[in-house]
Amino acid sequence: MRAGGLPDTNQVSTEPLSDKVLVTPLDRASLYAPTRAKALFRKIEPYLYLLPALLLVGGLLLYSVAHTLAISFTDWDLITPPRFVGLQNYIDAIRDPTFTRSFSNTLVWTGGSLLLPVGGGLLLAVILERIPGQRVLKTLIYLPAILSTTVVAAIWSYVYTNNGVLNETLRWVGLDALARPWLVWAPTNTLAMIVAASWRALGPSMVLFLVGLQTIPPELIEAAKIDGAGERLLFWRIKLPLLRPITAIVVIMSVIGSFMTFDLVWVMTQGGPGRSSETLAVTMYRQAFIMWRMGYAGAVAVILSAIVIVFSISYLRATLKRSTL
Amino acid sequence: MIEKWAIRQRALDRYLALALLCLFAIAWVTPLAIVALSSMKTPREQSQSGILALPENAAMILDNIASASELSGIGNGILSSLIYAFVGSVTAVIAASSAAYSIAMLKIRFPFFWFLIIYSGTIFPFQMYLMPLFGLYQTVGLYDTRFGMLLFYSAITVPFCIFVFRNYFIGMQGEVIEAASLDGASSFQTYLRIVLPMAKAPALFLFVTQFSWIWNDFLFGQVLAKSDDVRPVMTSLAMLSGTYGKGSIPQQMAGALTASIPTLILFFALQKHFMQGIILNTAGE
Amino acid sequence: MNGNKNALLPRLMALLLIPALLLGGSIAAQDDPVVIDWANDAAWHEAGQDAVSEASLGATGIGVNTVIFSSTDSYQAAVRGALPTDDAFPLFDWWFGYRMKDLVDAGLLADVTDIWQKHIDNGGYPASMMGSFGFDGRAYGLPKMINYWVVFYNKHVFAEHSLEVPTSWDGLMAVAETLKSNGVTPFGLDVVGCRWCSFIWFEEMMVRVDPALYQSVMTGETAYNDPQVIAIMEQWRDLLDAGYFSQPGDFADNWAEPFVNGSIGMFLIGDWYTASLARAGFVAGEDYGIFVMPGITEAGNRSLIIEGRPLLLAENSPQRDVALEFADYFMSVEAQTIWAETSDINSPNLLAPEETRPGHLVDLANAVANGEYELYTRYWEATPPQIVEQVVDLLGQFVIDPASLQTTMDGAEQIAQDYWASAGGE
């Protein structure tokens, strides 16, 4: 990788003969060194573009991942030296009955986020595309995205209390039967929190889809219309396939986001009551910062990441066939 | 006859859809009204009136903002956070776009591997970065420095950016290579003069979203720094809330509103560039 | 490998700095004020700590710089993470009892027995108090705050329904019944927004019936599913079934609100709730009062739950000695008066002037000083955190589903047994 490396003698023979003929060895050094350096530079230049990102991500984030991976094989409470325990943390994690519940809650979060912010965002984008006043509506829908999770959680706590905004509205409309304690019982509490999270996440995914829709060549739509395609056909046959690169981004980010779901749950229910709304990321956090079992938490984090990376790779391979996979 | 009816019906449908959308939009912003209304009340009023009741004196918001910023010492954090959010997201956008350029358009070996390496920064739960980074920062002397915070914020925002840029560039490939070879430009010139300007829209979109992310972070700001002039704005603001906090609910809400102003301004200022300007890669397949 | 390489630079710099420090230090030590960090997770303590710092600068030349963490979890993480190193916060707030045990066992806390001894001899602190701040006769923490767990009652609500402060358990039940029949929730209890709050009534019912039993459950001698414990839990369950408690999900994350607006009449909580109420504009004596919950049995009449917030000193901090000097000053009447007055709390120093303390807390403190109550450590700190953190989740489940009493206590016993078995083995 060294840019100013020693001249490689083997390289000489591969150079075109005509270049060699006219110069003395002494000249050669002065004439060719820069060229060879240039050739070398040309070879490594593409990698130089990777360098800043690699240094930042590798030096801070991947360092931490490696550290956590190492810790996941130990018992560590932050104040006494880590003790090697092999795979014990992984075994404990998978055997723990709450792990199964966290896992299924996490899957509910994933499904919910695919339905609401992703599906809902797509639907809104398609509707808003052809409606007057879309600018205002788009902006309104995007607004919650600028708030921090803590504020979102605080707001929705007021919406969901027994005499909160939601239940009062339901009673006012006459839908008393639907009014209930939203954050108390599983699975209602998880679903309620998914709605709160989607409130914040819908705007950005809608914007991404809108952007994607605008790039679909109008000729294509016109041609399809002339062929007699209805709105529905147009959507499934033309728009959706052409939106694929955008969909890939939104889907992957949303899946990752739901696997990492933590802040909102931690503020609203802390995974309770009785651990009923815990997600995998909450389990991990709880083990790390409540129980001080950094190794156990590390193991959960590693399992979590493994799931996400397997999903990402297979999803990317399936959707983006003709790219530099 | 039937055609006319169909047209009228379609127009009706449209108005109905519009009405439904408006209703939806009102429901959508109601939770925001909670923040706005609460921030205009006195603490006692907040407790004793309904959550959506109108405030007795809307000017109370000024008092609340003043006391919120005084109690939390928010002033110190604003400058730091502006630096972190601006420099951090710009750094991330540059680092990610150049890496994505290399991965998508230049001849490197194992492009997908390099992509995965950088992208893998997003697949790890953020909370797990806390302790390793805390240890690392203390050892190398980055703990409680603005530079350290900046490095972290740049690093944490790179992976998402690279994902968006890569997908975008893969679609652009053909056009760029064509344009560049006509010019006889070097790869750096291609990046600077052709790729970046063409990627203006996703770059701005990423700048806005990553700016917001950094601006809204309070956890890392709290653990990786301890002094008032290094800690970001949200860490200061968080002192108002919670059982052990200093502030009342109206003060917290007023603080939250005030703190969203920069991201709001940024969104409105740049919105039209990225909402209309992105010519996206539909050729990604 | 990474770590070693990284550590080199700061070490080299430190080496270069040593001569400079030796030269400068000897001169500076006398005149220049030293300012050391004091970390805590309670933002509302900042003003009080700043005021003490100012006074201390004048008296001892040592000031403190308050570092606030607004998230309790990451506060603990940062403190624990740094404690074994010389970057440890020299002064920091913690939790007493079992919550400081692992730090003591790991040798990370400075021994402050001498400071205690000096101030006990002065008559500032009762000798009995030191025991809660350490183990085996040594003290490792100083009392920054002492809080008692009492019932807060809304005076307007009580007046409206012509109620008096109850002096017996039956009286309390009569008050609850009156409130309930008038549409006011008698007791507030939040187990949705507050994970740990589920232990409040568990410990209170236990000490109101049989305080000795409570202590033996804490030490693992009596099982959580012991028939006697179950019987007490059944009494609590009856109160839940009678509708004397707020419904799960009644509160947003703000506890002051339902109390201030009168939708609940009473709130059993630590007396630090005073500060939360003050922030909501509620005035002690005028808007609300406090009383100690009457006992269910004679033995339970004299019980009082105590919570201590200790100030700890890091053994590994290079500023340990300076911190010790400051800690000594902090215990003094002068510092305590300033600290309590600015923070609106009751100083544990018996010599602190009465007029500087919040009136409604003074009577209680005096009653405690006169030996009218037996103090029992709060559940949170009375038994190992590994047990507490899991049992509070089970108790939370019990509050929303009182029928699950037996499974709750069986589960709690399982957790306790697992812990005591492994702790005994080590």
Side-chain angles (χ1 to χ4, degrees):
Chain A
M1 281 288 270
R2 277 182 301 169
L6 292 166
D8 189 342
T9 39
N10 288 338
Q11 203 114 35
V12 179
S13 59
T14 63
E15 285 184 8
L17 196 72
S18 56
D19 283 0
K20 270 195 200 168
V21 182
L22 295 169
V23 276
T24 62
L26 214 96
D27 289 339
R28 259 188 51 197
S30 56
L31 260 174
Y32 278 86
T35 318
R36 216 172 290 134
K38 219 173 181 179
L40 189 67
F41 177 72
R42 197 163 285 167
K43 230 177 191 177
I44 62 162
E45 195 197 1
Y47 296 94
L48 291 181
Y49 291 96
L50 289 174
L51 214 56
L54 275 179
L55 283 178
L56 280 172
V57 173
L60 297 181
L61 308 187
L62 297 185
Y63 161 82
S64 308
V65 175
H67 188 276
T68 306
L69 186 66
I71 285 300
S72 74
F73 300 108
T74 68
D75 203 3
W76 187 37
D77 63 358
L78 288 179
I79 56 170
T80 44
R83 195 166 51 86
F84 183 77
V85 294
L87 286 174
Q88 197 54 49
N89 289 322
Y90 289 86
I91 297 167
D92 285 355
I94 290 166
R95 276 203 192 143
D96 187 346
T98 40
F99 182 85
T100 325
R101 184 162 47 190
S102 300
F103 191 76
S104 59
N105 278 339
T106 306
L107 289 183
V108 173
W109 269 93
T110 311
S113 335
L114 286 179
L115 192 71
L116 289 177
V118 179
L122 180 59
L123 187 73
L124 270 177
V126 173
I127 297 174
L128 280 184
E129 197 197 14
R130 34 187 212 113
I131 273 214
Q134 53 145 311
R135 274 288 285 280
V136 184
L137 281 169
K138 274 194 303 199
T139 309
L140 284 183
I141 289 167
Y142 189 87
L143 268 183
I146 59 164
L147 297 171
S148 68
T149 318
T150 331
V151 176
V152 172
I155 294 174
W156 283 84
S157 299
Y158 280 109
V159 174
Y160 285 143
T161 51
N162 293 349
N163 293 309
V165 178
L166 181 56
N167 280 342
E168 292 295 317
T169 313
L170 286 172
R171 287 183 198 123
W172 184 68
V173 187
L175 295 168
D176 298 50
L178 286 178
R180 68 194 64 206
W182 294 97
L183 295 175
V184 177
W185 300 99
T188 314
N189 48 13
T190 294
L191 297 176
M193 286 189 283
I194 292 175
V195 171
S198 305
W199 182 63
R200 185 156 172 262
L202 191 70
S205 82
M206 176 199 68
V207 168
L208 276 170
F209 281 123
L210 272 172
V211 157
L213 283 173
Q214 285 160 5
T215 62
I216 297 177
E219 312 90 77
L220 267 178
I221 308 272
E222 284 311 309
K225 272 187 180 160
I226 290 167
D227 288 349
E231 280 296 335
R232 197 174 287 181
L233 203 66
L234 208 60
F235 174 76
W236 290 109
R237 289 288 164 76
I238 310 273
K239 290 182 179 171
L240 199 58
L242 288 177
L243 276 175
R244 206 172 273 175
I246 282 287
T247 317
I249 295 176
V250 182
V251 166
I252 289 220
M253 292 330 286
S254 154
V255 169
I256 294 179
S258 39
F259 263 84
M260 306 302 159
T261 298
F262 167 74
D263 305 42
L264 195 83
V265 179
W266 194 246
V267 181
M268 289 181 84
T269 66
Q270 290 173 292
R275 305 187 72 175
S276 61
S277 60
E278 223 169 280
T279 59
L280 281 178
V282 171
T283 303
M284 177 209 77
Y285 186 86
R286 198 187 137 91
Q287 291 298 338
F289 299 110
I290 301 289
M291 307 299 287
W292 306 109
R293 297 177 68 183
M294 302 307 288
Y296 190 121
V300 178
V302 170
I303 296 172
L304 202 58
S305 309
I307 298 171
V308 174
I309 203 155
V310 167
F311 167 81
S312 307
I313 292 178
S314 43
Y315 183 80
L316 282 175
R317 281 191 187 277
T319 46
L320 305 173
K321 287 176 204 114
R322 197 231 76 175
S323 53
T324 46
L325 285 181
Chain B
M1 194 47 193
I2 288 172
E3 219 160 73
K4 230 180 190 174
W5 180 83
I7 290 170
R8 203 176 299 157
Q9 184 64 29
R10 208 172 294 160
L12 252 170
D13 275 359
R14 253 179 108 147
Y15 285 122
L16 196 72
L18 192 63
L20 275 175
L21 271 175
C22 286
L23 214 64
F24 173 77
I26 290 170
W28 196 255
V29 293
T30 307
L32 282 177
I34 295 177
V35 187
L37 291 172
S38 296
S39 65
M40 297 173 191
K41 294 177 181 172
T42 64
R44 195 152 177 160
E45 195 187 345
Q46 167 74 16
S47 302
Q48 293 180 332
S49 70
I51 191 76
L52 286 177
L54 289 178
E56 282 160 20
N57 174 16
M60 194 59 211
I61 191 174
L62 297 176
D63 288 15
N64 283 332
I65 290 175
S67 54
S69 52
E70 197 196 317
L71 280 173
S72 62
I74 200 180
N76 284 313
I78 288 180
L79 178 66
S80 304
S81 275
L82 280 175
I83 297 174
Y84 301 150
F86 185 80
V87 182
S89 52
V90 168
T91 310
V93 164
I94 291 174
S97 64
S98 80
Y101 167 62
S102 164
I103 287 167
M105 298 177 174
L106 300 178
K107 286 202 174 63
I108 57 168
R109 302 190 69 178
F110 315 119
F112 193 62
F113 166 78
W114 292 115
F115 165 69
L116 274 185
I117 286 281
I118 301 173
Y119 157 83
S120 63
T122 55
I123 60 154
F124 204 64
F126 285 165
Q127 298 79 28
M128 283 317 286
Y129 292 130
L130 273 181
M131 290 327 286
L133 282 179
F134 179 71
L136 178 75
Y137 270 37
Q138 290 206 321
T139 328
V140 300
L142 282 174
Y143 176 69
D144 199 30
T145 62
R146 279 190 174 162
F147 182 66
M149 294 308 300
L150 215 79
L151 273 186
F152 168 74
Y153 286 132
S154 309
I156 198 85
T157 45
V158 161
F160 178 62
C161 296
I162 204 161
F163 189 29
V164 173
F165 276 125
R166 175 184 168 277
N167 265 22
Y168 187 77
F169 288 164
I170 285 174
M172 258 166 63
Q173 243 172 8
E175 309 161 42
V176 172
I177 289 168
E178 219 169 287
S181 62
L182 283 177
D183 280 11
S186 76
S187 72
F188 186 67
Q189 284 168 327
T190 313
Y191 169 67
L192 206 65
R193 304 229 181 101
I194 300 167
V195 176
L196 269 189
M198 282 181 78
K200 190 177 136 200
L204 284 175
F205 174 74
L206 288 170
F207 172 67
V208 172
T209 51
Q210 303 313 297
F211 185 100
S212 305
W213 196 93
I214 298 173
W215 182 265
N216 281 327
D217 169 69
F218 99 97
L219 187 64
F220 289 93
Q222 179 170 268
V223 174
L224 299 181
K226 63 176 181 181
S227 26
D228 289 344
D229 48 354
V230 178
R231 280 183 165 183
V233 62
M234 287 302 166
T235 304
S236 315
L237 201 61
M239 287 183 202
L240 293 178
S241 48
T243 322
Y244 293 142
K246 284 181 188 175
S248 63
I249 300 280
Q251 287 165 345
Q252 291 169 33
M253 294 300 180
L257 271 189
T258 319
S260 340
I261 292 174
T263 38
L264 197 63
I265 293 176
L266 202 67
F267 173 73
F268 279 115
L270 298 180
Q271 171 195 34
K272 71 166 185 267
H273 294 286
F274 63 76
M275 277 217 195
Q276 287 160 6
I278 304 186
I279 310 146
L280 236 115
N281 52 325
T282 41
E285 268 184 278
Chain C
M1 205 180 90
N2 208 348
N4 288 339
K5 207 174 164 189
N6 287 334
L8 201 65
L9 193 67
R11 278 190 200 147
L12 276 174
M13 283 172 70
L15 246 135
L16 290 173
L17 279 173
I18 287 172
L21 282 174
L22 285 178
L23 283 175
S26 54
I27 311 160
Q30 297 298 319
D31 315 306
D32 284 0
V34 189
V35 176
I36 57 178
D37 283 339
W38 181 352
N40 80 36
D41 66 332
W44 64 277
H45 286 189
E46 196 175 17
Q49 291 189 187
D50 287 351
V52 173
S53 171
E54 205 157 298
S56 171
L57 273 173
T60 64
I62 303 165
V64 289
N65 167 47
T66 300
V67 181
I68 300 285
F69 290 77
S70 34
S71 145
T72 299
D73 315 326
S74 52
Y75 166 65
Q76 293 185 47
V79 169
R80 291 177 78 102
L83 258 186
T85 72
D86 54 10
D87 287 315
F89 287 108
L91 297 164
F92 60 98
D93 286 17
W94 206 247
W95 292 261
F96 76 148
Y98 264 106
R99 298 257 159 185
M100 55 188 271
K101 192 168 187 305
D102 55 348
L103 305 186
V104 173
D105 290 346
L108 297 170
L109 300 182
D111 188 321
V112 290
T113 318
D114 293 346
I115 298 179
W116 265 100
Q117 210 52 61
K118 176 179 155 192
H119 290 277
I120 289 172
D121 293 348
N122 285 347
Y125 299 83
S128 61
M129 201 186 262
M130 192 178 93
S132 318
F133 291 86
F135 302 90
D136 305 324
R138 307 300 297 175
Y140 298 91
L142 303 165
K144 187 186 184 190
M145 271 189 359
I146 295 289
N147 297 105
Y148 303 108
W149 284 59
V150 293
V151 179
F152 283 69
Y153 68 99
N154 185 320
K155 286 199 164 179
H156 306 296
V157 173
F158 268 48
E160 192 183 328
H161 304 290
S162 344
L163 295 168
E164 296 287 327
V165 171
T167 51
S168 68
W169 182 257
D170 291 341
L172 181 68
M173 289 301 105
V175 167
E177 191 52 44
T178 312
L179 289 175
K180 197 199 146 205
S181 55
N182 284 292
V184 178
T185 305
F187 300 109
L189 176 62
D190 178 22
V191 294
V192 178
C194 172
R195 194 181 127 254
W196 55 264
C197 287
S198 58
F199 77 69
I200 299 175
W201 277 79
F202 166 66
E203 68 178 10
E204 193 73 21
M205 293 299 286
M206 294 283 287
V207 300
R208 290 296 153 223
V209 176
D210 189 347
L213 184 71
Y214 170 69
Q215 285 195 311
S216 75
V217 172
M218 296 305 100
T219 51
E221 289 156 63
T222 302
Y224 278 84
N225 54 2
D226 183 279
Q228 283 176 280
V229 181
I230 297 281
I232 295 173
M233 288 295 288
E234 279 166 350
Q235 281 184 280
W236 180 19
R237 187 192 58 194
D238 292 345
L239 300 186
L240 284 164
D241 288 344
Y244 288 168
F245 286 86
S246 52
Q247 289 303 303
D250 271 356
F251 300 175
D253 62 346
N254 175 13
W255 305 338
E257 195 172 299
F259 182 70
V260 170
N261 69 24
S263 61
I264 60 172
M266 295 176 278
F267 211 107
L268 171 60
I269 196 91
D271 64 29
W272 40 257
Y273 187 50
T274 303
S276 309
L277 290 176
R279 267 179 274 136
F282 229 40
V283 183
E286 205 172 292
D287 295 315
Y288 69 91
I290 60 169
F291 63 87
V292 175
M293 190 174 282
I296 301 173
T297 64
E298 196 52 42
N301 242 338
R302 283 164 46 85
S303 309
L304 188 59
I305 294 286
I306 180 182
E307 168 193 358
R309 188 176 175 91
L311 165 63
L312 306 186
L313 283 69
E315 178 72 11
N316 291 327
S317 168
Q319 292 157 324
R320 192 196 69 150
D321 294 342
V322 186
L324 279 168
E325 203 180 320
F326 173 80
D328 177 37
Y329 173 74
F330 182 69
M331 293 279 275
S332 70
V333 176
E334 182 185 311
Q336 282 297 312
T337 309
I338 297 167
W339 156 241
E341 211 172 7
T342 9
S343 311
D344 223 2
I345 59 152
N346 191 16
S347 166
N349 191 318
L350 299 172
L351 303 174
E354 234 172 60
E355 63 275 15
T356 64
R357 309 168 173 193
H360 63 302
L361 300 179
V362 170
D363 297 341
L364 183 61
N366 287 343
V368 172
N370 293 338
E372 286 174 36
Y373 293 105
E374 299 282 340
L375 300 180
Y376 296 95
T377 303
R378 183 169 75 144
Y379 179 66
W380 197 244
E381 293 96 350
T383 198
Q386 291 86 344
I387 298 177
V388 174
E389 295 287 0
Q390 300 185 64
V391 170
V392 292
D393 287 320
L394 291 175
L395 289 172
Q397 184 63 41
F398 163 73
V399 172
I400 67 166
D401 178 18
S404 68
L405 196 159
Q406 190 66 45
T407 35
T408 300
M409 300 320 279
D410 289 346
E413 179 53 21
Q414 190 59 51
I415 291 162
Q417 270 178 17
D418 286 351
Y419 175 80
W420 294 116
S422 69
E426 264 169 32

